[in-house]
Amino acid sequence: MNTTFLQACKGETTSHVPVWFMRQAGRYLPDYQRVRSTLSFLELCKNPDLCVTVTLQPVDIFHFDAAILFSDILIPMEAMGLPLEFHDGRGPIFPEPVRDQKAAAALRVPEPEEDMPFVLETIRLLRRELKVPLIGFAGAPFTLATYVIEGGSSKNFLATKSMMFREPELYHAILDKITACTSSYLIAQAKAGAQALQLFDSWAGALAPCDYERFALPYVRTILADLRQHTDIPLIYFANNGATLLPYTATLDADVLGIDWRIPLADAIRQAGPHAVQGNLDPLALFLPKKDLEARIAAMLAAAAEAHGYIFNLGHGVIPETDPDQVKIAVDAVHRLSSQGN
Ligand code: CP3
């Protein structure tokens, strides 16, 4: 078992720097496309055998040091009673957005084993196959709320921010339910065998820091506290576009802070205090010529020498247009350059 990822999460020194990529399974991989051509994305998410297949693909091809469960952050929102659709090229859609007390009251807090058994079954199956640790995940409450309040993706988050500012009680009622759902969902993932858990706060950076502090951070804190009562596996919090939020996120009881590429890694490490750090190569840097990509990785590894635990990752997900050969170059470079001198 390769445990470098778990050791780095806990701030321990490792034989090489562990590396995995957000969205490492997905459309940039021909093997994923082949599976996906036979069924819809949601059907795939609900088929444990195929979820296992696509989770393993990037680990087998590129030798990542961790696997991430194949699923989607919006699966538990569907389990809360909200119809969910994915249309190719348009992203997720909730045709019945949550905009009033009646819709908020109708949200149910799911029982993970009853309502999302396919996710937990995928975890159990994966643990039999994997030789690297398995990361479970969920969306952070603010990010999930933007999808269910807007009815899908959004440019300026008009409906969400209007609700925050004009109907804060309604906003908090919705977020409280999403938070309860997320805690129990992640606890169930840990029980099923997930060896680390990551909270994705993809839209945190859309908030002014003062609003982040009031309308996003407290729910993350609650989930981390709930998780600490049930499990001692590493907890990772990733706030995308979150450089200006580090003074807040560094106060969280997460083992690892995920960092996007809009801040120099050395600055993020300084601000992260005792936390291990994960990141932060620009996903578009995978389009650099090989020599330049390797030089950039070498510079990041040099900066990371100061970290209290470092996991190499992108600053956000792999984009579908990425050349898999470039992913191979990056992963190999992290392994090769970080094991020199050991
Ligand atoms: O490899 C992995 O990282 C595990 C799988 C994973 C997916 N989604 C698969 C997926 C994970 C961890 C996610 C998280 C997720 N989903 C996030 C947080 C991370 C981030 O990217 O910020 C968000 C915001 C979502 C919501 C979501 N799911 C969107 C906006 C989309 C559409 C994106 C697009 O480009 O069309 C999805 C769909 C989705 N989730 C795909 C995959 C592989 C593509 C589906 C397909 O096959 O068509």
Side-chain angles (χ1 to χ4, degrees):
M1 178 59 122
N2 167 0
T3 57
T4 50
F5 165 76
L6 296 176
Q7 291 170 269
C9 286
K10 293 291 184 187
E12 296 165 15
T13 336
T14 51
S15 55
H16 64 264
V17 168
V19 48
W20 70 278
F21 284 178
M22 292 185 276
R23 293 280 186 100
Q24 63 192 24
R27 284 174 298 186
Y28 75 105
L29 278 182
D31 289 345
Y32 173 84
Q33 298 275 19
R34 266 193 286 281
V35 172
R36 179 63 173 77
S37 66
T38 64
L39 73 185
S40 75
F41 176 62
L42 276 177
E43 287 166 346
L44 171 55
C45 287
K46 293 173 187 177
N47 181 321
D49 288 329
L50 291 179
C51 283
V52 168
T53 300
V54 297
T55 302
L56 296 177
Q57 285 169 353
V59 179
D60 291 341
I61 298 171
F62 304 113
H63 308 296
F64 283 114
D65 296 285
I68 181 159
L69 165 72
F70 189 86
S71 187
D72 196 83
I73 60 166
L74 300 177
I75 292 288
M77 301 300 97
E78 191 184 42
M80 289 184 84
L82 297 171
L84 168 62
E85 300 168 10
F86 279 90
H87 300 281
D88 284 340
R90 276 176 59 205
I93 301 199
F94 287 101
E96 299 166 29
V98 183
R99 300 258 176 97
D100 55 30
Q101 277 296 353
K102 190 161 163 268
L107 288 174
R108 40 191 298 275
V109 175
E111 295 288 340
E113 288 283 359
E114 294 276 308
D115 299 310
M116 297 173 275
F118 44 88
V119 174
L120 305 172
E121 178 64 7
T122 302
I123 293 174
R124 292 186 195 102
L125 292 172
L126 277 167
R127 283 300 307 279
R128 295 193 211 147
E129 304 278 333
L130 281 165
K131 304 248 171 344
V132 295
L134 175 62
I135 304 168
F137 70 89
F142 168 71
T143 288
L144 294 173
T146 66
Y147 285 101
V148 304
I149 296 171
E150 303 292 336
S153 305
S154 172
K155 273 207 181 78
N156 55 16
F157 305 99
L158 172 62
T160 312
K161 290 190 180 183
S162 301
M163 188 188 291
M164 273 178 189
F165 296 148
R166 302 174 74 98
E167 299 173 280
E169 283 172 15
L170 173 58
Y171 176 86
H172 286 303
I174 296 169
L175 273 277
D176 279 344
K177 279 203 177 164
I178 293 177
T179 300
C181 166
T182 305
S183 285
S184 74
Y185 181 50
L186 288 173
I187 290 164
Q189 289 187 34
K191 278 205 180 122
Q195 290 157 290
L197 295 169
Q198 173 155 324
L199 271 174
F200 283 91
D201 219 343
S202 306
W203 298 114
L207 289 169
C210 60
D211 293 324
Y212 175 80
E213 187 181 20
R214 274 185 68 198
F215 295 108
L217 184 71
Y219 305 104
V220 177
R221 220 185 274 295
T222 298
I223 291 168
L224 294 172
D226 289 345
L227 293 175
R228 290 292 186 208
Q229 300 214 326
H230 289 87
T231 174
D232 54 10
I233 64 177
L235 307 178
I236 309 168
Y237 174 66
F238 170 62
N240 183 36
N241 219 333
T244 57
L245 303 175
L246 269 163
Y248 300 106
T249 57
T251 70
L252 285 169
D253 182 22
D255 299 281
V256 185
L257 295 178
I259 306 293
D260 69 84
W261 68 93
R262 300 162 187 92
I263 178 171
L265 186 56
D267 290 0
I269 288 168
R270 260 192 302 279
Q271 292 188 59
H275 301 88
V277 161
Q278 171 177 282
N280 73 342
L281 183 72
D282 181 351
L284 275 292
L286 292 172
F287 291 76
L288 283 166
K290 180 168 190 266
K291 224 167 85 288
D292 300 323
L293 175 56
E294 289 178 339
R296 196 177 287 217
I297 290 168
M300 287 172 64
L301 292 171
E306 303 298 320
H308 304 282
Y310 176 58
I311 299 130
F312 194 99
N313 204 317
L314 304 180
H316 201 179
V318 181
I319 72 163
E321 295 82 359
T322 306
D323 177 354
D325 291 343
Q326 292 283 103
V327 173
K328 174 126 188 57
I329 288 169
V331 175
D332 287 351
V334 174
H335 284 157
R336 189 177 67 250
L337 298 170
S338 67
S339 45
Q340 282 166 7
N342 279 314

